[in-house]
Amino acid sequence: MSPAARRPAPRRRPKRRIDAPRRAAYDALRQVTGNDAYANLVGPELLGQRHITGRDAAFATELLNGTCRLQGTYDLIIAAASGRKLGDLQANVLDVLRLGCHQLLSMRVPTHAAVAASVDLAAVAIGERVTGLVNAILRRVGEHSMDEWLDRLTAGLDEALARAIRSHHPRWIVDEYARLLPADELDAALAANNIAPRTCLAIRPGLSTVAELVDAGAEAHPRVPTAAYWPGNPGDLAAVRDGRAGVQDPGSQLAALAVVEPDAPEGPWLDLCAGPGGKSALLAGLAREQGTWLLASELQPHRAALVAQALRAYPEPHRPQVIAADGTRPAVAPGSFARVLADVPCTGLGALRRRPESRWRRTPQDLAALVPLQRALLRAALDAAAPGGVVAYVTCSPVAAETTEVVEHVLAERPEVTRIAPDHQLWPHRDGTDAMFRALLRVPADPAGQEPNRRR
């Protein structure tokens, strides 16, 4: 037998396998970090497409959302453990490392399993050439607990920066919170942003009831009459599938309900910035109950389509109208609407627990760019209101520059407009809701002195 014949065959590398939940979390994270997708949208979409359900879906959801929520902290840990600048790592490798960090430091995944699964994920999704690097970095990460890493990262830092790192927030957001809250509430408020919210449903008035949801297994909200908590997949409910109920934070529901509380003239209602449609769907039913109708306006056609989808269960010919129009230049006659909701575009910093990636995506420059738009939309909302009409200015943010300061600026221009009630700010740590802000305003009555017909 020749020497060649006696030579042993080369050993084949065992075939790598990666479980479906981790692969789904990785693919979703790549869309979030690479394409500016939203984790709360792309994650469920991928899970549905790949038929991942039950405990596997819960694992993938926590892995994706938790990684996004703590991304800034994990990036500091990866840089320290690797001795590299983040820019020296491939973007897809960095995402594998972030997912690995979350499993090692924030989930009940044994160290060896977290490292091995991350190495396999890197091999399958990227290539064998990066597995050694991923293995080495994650082994160093796993040498310390989260608390130990936080102690290392914050050693010698000033109190505010250390609080930002320990609470997993950018420094500028911590500074904004510190300006708004008593010192003894600051840590609780930041911590609340790191707790995933319960799924809350909103009924479509006239189409479903909270009692129907409770009969199906939901829990009625103690303070919001249109809301109920749902413990499972909302798509399991017939009312949600049919469009007779939808997912909506209780704070968002309270903001919409506020525009209905004060007396107002008779006449149609306007949702000036309606996308994606949750508040429109709630208000549409309430308007029908009062014998009137709602117009929903949204700038972007694709978001206007989402509004129409949210309103689909309301029967013709009384289904609310939806238009694609610029809210700063409404396609309606001035003084036409008894009630106007202006839920304006904002930083979304009130929904950090629901949109985990947004804290790392938003910057102070975004805030500065939004304020002129917010002022313009509030002016347009006031213009659209009928004499004696009610306007609700709403943002999903606690930041003063886009809440109270916008209102004060516009009211200084229009001293004839009055506040109906004090401005109100919700907080997750106080109210169990997103940090929604609302101001209720009234435009002056008919200058001829005639009081309009009012309806509650």
Side-chain angles (χ1 to χ4, degrees), residues 33-288:
T33 61
N35 299 326
D36 289 336
Y38 295 98
N40 67 324
L41 299 180
V42 70
E45 181 181 2
L46 277 178
L47 295 177
Q49 290 174 355
R50 299 178 187 186
H51 307 290
I52 300 172
T53 60
R55 298 176 72 175
D56 284 347
F59 179 91
T61 299
E62 168 56 28
L63 183 53
L64 171 63
N65 291 348
T67 299
C68 291
R69 190 173 293 117
L70 274 64
Q71 177 182 318
T73 303
Y74 292 148
D75 285 355
L76 294 174
I77 292 171
I78 290 167
S82 66
R84 298 171 179 234
K85 296 179 180 179
L86 294 184
D88 294 337
L89 295 167
Q90 292 178 221
N92 49 7
V93 171
L94 183 56
D95 280 344
V96 170
L97 294 171
R98 289 164 172 161
L99 294 167
C101 282
H102 193 62
Q103 294 170 74
L104 286 166
L105 302 176
S106 300
M107 297 179 74
R108 295 179 180 177
V109 179
T111 299
H112 70 278
V115 174
S118 298
V119 170
D120 286 346
L121 174 60
V124 171
I126 305 168
E128 288 288 344
R129 59 186 174 76
V130 301
T131 56
L133 177 65
V134 170
N135 180 71
I137 294 174
L138 289 181
R139 285 187 179 278
R140 294 191 191 103
V141 170
E143 291 173 357
H144 304 285
S145 67
M146 175 65 88
D147 287 341
E148 290 169 341
W149 274 115
L150 293 176
D151 288 342
R152 285 168 167 255
L153 294 172
T154 59
L157 299 181
D158 66 78
E159 181 180 354
L161 183 53
R163 174 177 276 117
I165 293 173
R166 288 188 176 278
S167 67
H168 316 296
H169 287 75
R171 166 71 180 267
W172 76 275
I173 293 179
V174 173
D175 290 343
E176 290 288 345
Y177 272 49
R179 282 191 278 271
L180 296 164
L181 288 166
D184 61 355
E185 289 189 44
L186 180 55
D187 288 332
L190 295 170
N193 287 337
N194 297 328
I195 301 172
R198 298 173 68 185
T199 299
C200 189
L201 304 178
I203 62 167
R204 309 306 192 216
L207 303 181
S208 61
T209 64
V210 170
E212 176 190 352
L213 302 183
V214 170
D215 288 343
E219 174 191 342
H221 194 282
R223 293 184 294 111
V224 184
T226 54
Y229 289 115
W230 179 249
N233 179 1
D236 294 340
L237 272 173
V240 173
R241 293 195 302 271
D242 298 342
R244 297 181 294 109
V247 177
Q248 189 175 23
D249 181 79
S252 180
Q253 296 181 54
L254 286 172
L257 293 171
V259 76
V260 186
E261 293 171 1
D263 289 345
E266 294 183 349
W269 302 359
L270 172 65
D271 188 352
L272 187 65
C273 311
K279 294 182 181 67
S280 292
L282 185 57
L283 290 176
L286 297 174
R288 291 178 70 211

Side-chain angles (χ1 to χ4, degrees), residues 335-418:
S336 299
F337 295 92
R339 303 180 192 271
V340 181
L341 173 65
D343 181 11
V344 301
C346 66
T347 58
L349 297 184
L352 294 183
R353 62 192 190 136
R354 189 179 310 283
R355 296 175 183 166
E357 73 291 322
S358 61
R359 71 186 69 185
W360 311 113
R361 188 174 288 175
R362 288 297 191 182
T363 68
Q365 291 71 37
D366 295 323
L367 178 62
L370 282 165
V371 168
L373 173 62
Q374 293 162 347
R375 293 174 179 175
L377 288 167
L378 178 53
R379 294 186 192 104
L382 294 170
D383 290 341
V390 174
V391 172
Y393 174 81
V394 172
T395 70
C396 186
S397 172
V399 179
E402 54 186 342
T403 58
T404 55
E405 292 178 11
V406 167
V407 176
E408 293 292 348
H409 182 92
V410 174
L411 290 186
E413 300 173 344
R414 304 191 181 194
E416 73 279 6
V417 175
T418 58

Side-chain angles (χ1 to χ4, degrees), residues 319-331:
R319 185 173 299 162
Q321 294 181 323
V322 181
I323 60 173
D326 185 347
T328 64
R329 297 189 294 273

